[in-house]
């Protein structure tokens, strides 16, 4: 792992670019540093005047690490992390059109490019993407004599049948502090709502649609004992996933990583798009991680040349397939869609074109996400009014958004 800020030996390049990137691996062998160092070396052969110094850090610290670097005046040239809007608001980032060639800039999947905008200009370059599907345990469903749900009524009736058949957790609803903002968004979209109406519009957390969604969850799943013994507000996603791989969960929302974990555990599972209230949902939830480029070292030309190489289809595919993620460009997605060796990801790909992402372009989002993680579980607790809980979060989110303007 290279140290950010270190230059190469004499004659190794006229410009040294510093890249800080998140680690998607879980061991030295699978670390993202292996990918980045190989990519940087190959790029260096084509551009001997540009050296790329790679510093790969844990997802647990990388966002805070980059923030600390920027604060002390030692910003990297590029950072591949989880958010970008704060830096864009402060004028610290290059926009996409200042860096990328036209073909690369126009290659991004439109939903992802749109989510990377702040004030109608793209600063966040999507690096990898993912979507979410509803997983179900086929063996438990067969034993209960039920089929995959197509609407909310099916979810409720399937969950009841699973409970009657002795399944400990008919529907896992992780609204705990780990990733409650994701589970919340999936259900909001399923109910015709969302966090905002437009990419840069105000928060709509307590909209009528969202309130109806959480009332349905409270009355039809949680209140009827169909979400297991742990209160949703105390259940983290990792624990829900673990129970699914142990055969204790009938249904839950999941991402591609769960496929491999479940398969290794011998779970016979199926996947369907998250149903809407009365049928197909208007959209699914998409997730993206981001690349951004800082102005501090004035290396726009060299950064652009490197990022054009990063977004070459083969490089995009190599990284995405290694970590069971989705490519961020149309052409790379087209390649993946006809590759039988990646057929497990094809269902996730199908929902990418209708996906909606977090409001990444709002610099208040990280704070609002924290509010949701902290309080959203209260919306389905016995004795609580979902509207009051959502209105409380909405008021705090509005204040955070106003303060960030």
């Amino acid at each position: 792992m290279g140290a950010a800020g270190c230059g190469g030996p004499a004659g190794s390049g006229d410009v040294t670019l510093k890249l800080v990137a998140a680690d998607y691996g879980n061991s030295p062998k699978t670390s993202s540093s292996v990918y980045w160092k190989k990519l940087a070396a190959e790029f260096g052969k084509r551009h001997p005047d540009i050296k790329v110094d790679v510093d790969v850090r844990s997802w647990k610290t990388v966002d805070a690490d980059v923030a600390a670097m920027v604060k002390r005046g030692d910003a990297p040239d590029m950072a591949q992390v989880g958010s970008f809007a704060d830096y864009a608001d402060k004028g610290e980032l290059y926009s996409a059109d200042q860096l990328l060639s036209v073909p690369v800039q126009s290659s991004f999947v439109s939903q992802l490019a749109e989510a990377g905008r702040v004030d109608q200009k793209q600063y966040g370059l999507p690096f990898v993407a993912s979507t979410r599907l509803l997983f179900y345990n086929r063996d438990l469903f067969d034993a209960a004599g039920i089929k995959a749900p197509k609407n909310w009524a099916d979810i409720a009736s399937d969950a009841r049948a699973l409970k009657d058949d002795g399944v400990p957790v008919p529907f896992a609803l992780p609204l705990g502090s780990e990733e409650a903002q994701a589970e919340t968004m999936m259900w909001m979209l399923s109910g015709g709502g969302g966090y905002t109406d437009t990419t840069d519009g105000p928060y709509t957390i307590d909209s009528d649609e969202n309130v109806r969604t959480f009332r349905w969850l409270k009355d039809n799943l949680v209140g009827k004992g169909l979400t297991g013994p742990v209160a949703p507000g105390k259940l983290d996603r990792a624990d829900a996933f673990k129970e699914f791989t142990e055969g204790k969960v009938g249904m839950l929302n999941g991402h591609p990583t769960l496929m491999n974990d479940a398969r290794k555990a011998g779970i016979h599972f199926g996947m369907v798009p998250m149903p809407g209230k009365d049928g197909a949902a208007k959209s699914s939830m998409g997730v993206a991680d981001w690349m951004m480029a800082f102005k501090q070292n004035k290396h726009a030309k060299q950064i652009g040349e490197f990022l054009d190489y990063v977004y070459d289809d083969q490089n995009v595919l190599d990284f995405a397939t290694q970590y069971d993620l989705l490519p961020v460009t149309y052409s790379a997605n087209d390649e993946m869609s006809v590759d039988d060796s990646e057929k497990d990801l094809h269902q996730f790909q199908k929902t990418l074109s209708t996906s909606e992402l977090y409001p990444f372009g709002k610099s208040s989002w990280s704070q609002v996400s924290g509010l949701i993680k902290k309080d959203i579980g209260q919306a389905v607790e016995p004795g609580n009014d979902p509207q009051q809980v959502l209105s409380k979060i909405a008021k705090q989110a509005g204040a955070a958004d106003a303060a960030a303007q």
Side-chain angles (χ1 to χ4, degrees), residues 186 250 264 306 350 388:
M186 283 182 268
K264 288 176 184 176
F306 178 64
K350 290 176 183 177
Q388 289 183 358

Side-chain angles (χ1 to χ4, degrees), residues 44-64:
K45 292 176 183 177
R46 304 183 184 201
H47 301 269
D49 57 330
I50 305 173
K51 181 178 184 292
V52 181
D53 217 358
V54 179
D55 183 357
V56 173
R57 302 194 177 207
S58 165
W59 263 117
K60 293 180 180 179
T61 65
V62 68
D63 283 285

